[in-house]
Amino acid sequence: QEQLVESGGGLVQPGGSLRLSCAASGIIFSIYTMAWYRQAPGNKRELVAGIDRNRDTDYADSVKGRFTISRDNAKNTVYLQMNSLKPEDTAVYYCTGDNRGRKYWGRGTQVTVSS
């Protein structure tokens, strides 16, 4: 059974940091392109960051220089380090795994940036 489980969300003050984790099971993790999406209330879901099997990364312009995506294939886990958080980063963050069009989604973790 393919499964992605996110963790690490929570409430943080502006300027703070959080690290999200996504643990994968039931897939050959090392060959999957992994990514983080987010969706704020009233907004469309948007791609935040992605990392492919070669560890090439891509980021939304809004998070470049603040967020870092990484992966640990030995632990079947992808991370999103988020620094200098802003209120506009508030959203539900979803992890995805994609291989040749077969895409899986986690259930999401809430990130709230507020003072």
Side-chain angles (χ1 to χ4, degrees):
Q1 180 86 21
E2 302 86 359
Q3 192 172 20
L4 301 176
V5 180
E6 302 96 337
S7 60
L11 173 65
V12 63
Q13 292 188 341
S17 298
L18 281 176
R19 188 175 83 153
L20 304 183
S21 300
C22 171
S25 59
I27 62 172
I28 304 173
F29 181 81
S30 62
I31 68 172
Y32 272 68
T33 292
M34 303 301 296
W36 290 94
Y37 286 73
R38 68 185 180 187
Q39 187 169 21
N43 290 358
K44 293 182 179 179
R45 195 170 293 187
E46 63 173 350
L47 176 65
V48 176
I51 183 167
D52 69 12
R53 60 190 297 174
N54 298 316
R55 300 180 189 274
D56 291 328
T57 59
D58 190 29
Y59 295 92
D61 287 343
S62 58
V63 307
K64 281 181 181 176
R66 300 189 298 122
F67 291 10
T68 302
I69 189 170
S70 61
R71 65 190 299 159
D72 185 337
N73 289 344
K75 295 182 178 180
N76 286 0
T77 300
V78 62
Y79 303 99
L80 185 67
Q81 177 66 44
M82 306 186 294
N83 299 328
S84 302
L85 282 160
K86 304 175 181 180
E88 51 263 43
D89 295 318
T90 296
V92 177
Y93 284 71
Y94 299 90
C95 170
T96 69
D98 191 347
N99 180 46
R100 298 186 178 184
R102 181 170 293 182
K103 193 164 188 172
Y104 301 102
W105 290 79
R107 299 183 68 176
T109 185
Q110 175 70 47
V111 171
T112 302
V113 185
S114 175
S115 54

